[in-house]
Amino acid sequence: MIKTDHISIQCPQCGHTEFEQPDNPKDDDFVKCNSCNFEIMLADLKEVGIEQAKEVVIPEAKAEIEKMLKKAFKGSFK
């Protein structure tokens, strides 16, 4: 079972994970990193977050699938 249940989006400039955002943010609103003041459109930050999540989840999924396959075929090839 994949154990990742929460991934924080990191600022593309400094890696910090907290952003200042307007109330009721929309995709075309800008958010600002609380650490380095880097500003990015929310829609772009979401894309960054998706790419960052892929970097974590895909290796975990691959390892889990390999483990399941080894278990499923254990002893089949003697």
Side-chain angles (χ1 to χ4, degrees):
M1 177 179 225
I2 298 173
K3 294 176 177 48
T4 302
D5 61 355
H6 177 77
I7 297 173
S8 297
I9 299 174
Q10 297 177 335
C11 172
Q13 293 294 308
C14 73
H16 194 71
T17 59
E18 293 181 18
F19 297 86
E20 181 181 309
Q21 62 186 18
D23 291 333
N24 302 315
K26 297 172 186 64
D27 281 348
D28 60 347
D29 288 335
F30 280 82
V31 295
K32 183 169 57 171
C33 175
N34 287 346
S35 178
C36 72
N37 294 321
F38 176 73
E39 291 189 16
I40 185 170
M41 195 177 300
L42 182 58
D44 294 336
L45 184 62
K46 287 178 181 180
E47 288 298 317
V48 168
I50 290 168
E51 292 304 314
Q52 290 174 359
K54 286 179 185 177
E55 291 176 13
V56 173
V57 174
I58 290 173
E60 286 184 12
K62 183 180 176 185
E64 188 65 29
I65 291 168
E66 287 174 351
K67 205 179 342 177
M68 290 168 54
L69 288 172
K70 283 180 184 177
K71 188 175 181 180
F73 292 106
K74 188 176 184 178
S76 296
F77 300 103
K78 291 184 178 183

